[in-house]
Structures are given as structure tokens and as C-alpha cells.
DNA sequence: GTCTTTCATCGTAATAAAACGATGCGCTGT
DNA sequence: ACAGCGCATCGTTTTATTACGATGAAAGAC
């Protein structure tokens, strides 16, 4: 099974312009990718997705890490905008932000 | 525009089982995500994709970083399997590995 | 052969990420 | 009010990432 070997012939012409300073869209995708660049965070998203709704703090039960560590990962996902938390009495309910997740999918698909 | 607010009511039942030890697929996605979790690497993929073929070492010209740094980023993409390099005389031609990129897209889409 | 070009790698310094236990803060029961 | 639960944050250590200049190795030109 021969996959895309890149022969010099297939090479495209070099650039003429300056190296643009790493645009916003590149940064956006990089940030979103970084948010899921850890198996624990992938697991969190998967859990939030399987239980189609939030699933409060027993996300911790799904992940073989200390509570404080899981909380940190949740924060990263929250900072990236991929999930959001809603305070419900003593607990906090998390759920996926579908718009942001969609945005990630679009950016990835555009590669 | 009200987006997915997660009320406690929507919360799914808790888990019964043990915290599984962070599976292979989660790790795979995390690794691929990490590979693109930097704007320079996103840019590299974009360049390799726009010039539909390899574009050898003048990737460096497209990125406002030192040559050695770009080479490091290329290595990370190579280690992740997203790109591959082919030696062509004094230069090296890089191109996207479509299968691996597809794999990334599938995993992301599955979120 | 030597010189040059092209890229990778080494060595290093600065910054960020990951993990944990301990602490703190806001609720909800009693 | 007080105790307990649920979760976030603090403080710390360890490890990884990012970046650069300098050095090296391989191929082509002379």
C-alpha cells in the first residue's frame, strides 16, 4: 500500500513573501488542540458526551487521577471554552459547549 | 442565543465501575492533538496542504522562527506520523500523510 | 579534494504542564 | 451554629515544551 510519497517533482514553488506572524486562526486551533492534548481531558469530553448531559462531579470517578488534578483539567477545558460548568447547590454540573466543539471540528476538518 | 445550559435535571446517572486506566484511543487522540497544539505546527500543516505537495525546506521561510526551532516542530509532526520527509539530495521534502490526518479527523469528529 | 548549502541534532535556558496533598470556600443538612 | 460534602485553588515538585545559537553530517558544486 503506497501512500503519499512526496517526490521533489510534486514540490510546489517556494514562498515570496515574509513569514506572517502566526495568525489568529492558527492560534485558535492550536489552543483548542492543546485543550484536548491529554488523555484525561479526552476522557472527560467522552464522558460528558456519552451521558448526553452534564454529569456533575463524578467525572472524577471516571478518571484515575486525584480530585484536584481532575479539577485542573476541567479548568483547562473550561478556559478553552469546550465545556461549561453550572453551579447546582453543593455540586457543579459540566457539559459540553456544542458550539465550541463544532468550531474545533470545523477547524480540524479544514486541514 | 441560548446554548446548552446544563441543568442538574439533564444530568445522567453516575458511574458504577472503576476508573478505567485511560485507554489507547484516548491516548492516540491526545497525542495527535498535541502534535497540532502549537501555531507553528498548524502553519506547517497548512503550508504543506496549500502547496498540495511537499515544499521542502522553505517551510522555514514561512515561519517566523529560527531554523532549528522549525526543524524541531517538523520532528514532532513526523513523530506523530502526520507528515513524512523524503530526502532529495541536499534537501528534504515534507508532505502530509493523508491517512494519519484522516485518522485525526475521524477521532475528532467522533467527539 | 574543498567549499557551500541544507537540514538535523546538541546543549542550554526559560517557561509551561502535570500531578499531588493540603487548604479554603460555599452549600446543605442537622 | 456547626459539621460534612463537593469542588476549586494554593503551594510544591517533577517533567516536558519552546526557543535559540552552535555544531555536525550528507550531498552537490567547484
Amino acid at each position: 500500500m503506497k501512500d503519499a510519497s512526496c517526490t521533489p517533482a510534486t514540490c510546489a514553488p517556494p514562498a515570496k513573501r515574509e513569514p506572517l506572524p502566526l495568525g489568529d486562526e492558527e492560534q485558535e486551533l492550536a489552543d483548542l488542540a492543546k485543550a484536548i492534548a491529554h488523555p484525561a481531558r479526552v476522557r472527560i469530553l467522552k464522558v460528558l458526551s456519552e451521558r448526553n448531559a452534564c454529569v456533575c462531579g463524578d467525572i472524577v470517578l471516571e478518571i484515575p487521577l486525584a480530585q484536584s488534578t481532575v479539577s485542573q483539567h476541567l479548568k483547562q477545558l473550561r478556559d478553552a471554552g469546550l465545556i461549561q460548568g453550572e453551579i447546582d447547590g453543593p455540586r457543579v454540573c459540566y457539559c459540553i459547549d456544542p458550539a465550541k466543539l463544532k468550531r474545533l471540528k470545523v477547524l480540524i476538518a479544514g486541514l
Side-chain angles (χ1 to χ4, degrees), chain A residues 8-78:
Chain A
T10 358
C11 251
K16 285 286 169 279
R17 64 192 181 293
E18 285 293 288
L20 301 167
L22 290 181
D24 288 348
E25 204 167 270
E26 287 154 353
Q27 187 68 58
E28 184 189 7
L29 175 50
D31 289 342
L32 286 172
K34 185 177 300 188
I36 61 170
H38 190 290
R41 295 195 288 270
V42 173
R43 165 80 59 91
I44 289 172
L45 286 184
K46 217 166 55 145
V47 168
L48 288 182
S49 167
E50 280 168 6
R51 336 254 182 101
N52 61 12
C54 15
V55 182
C56 322
D58 52 20
I59 298 171
V60 173
L61 295 179
E62 296 277 2
I63 296 176
L65 292 173
Q67 177 265 326
S68 60
T69 307
V70 173
S71 191
Q72 268 185 161
H73 286 303
L74 285 168
K75 177 170 167 49
Q76 288 186 62
L77 287 170
R78 204 158 9 101

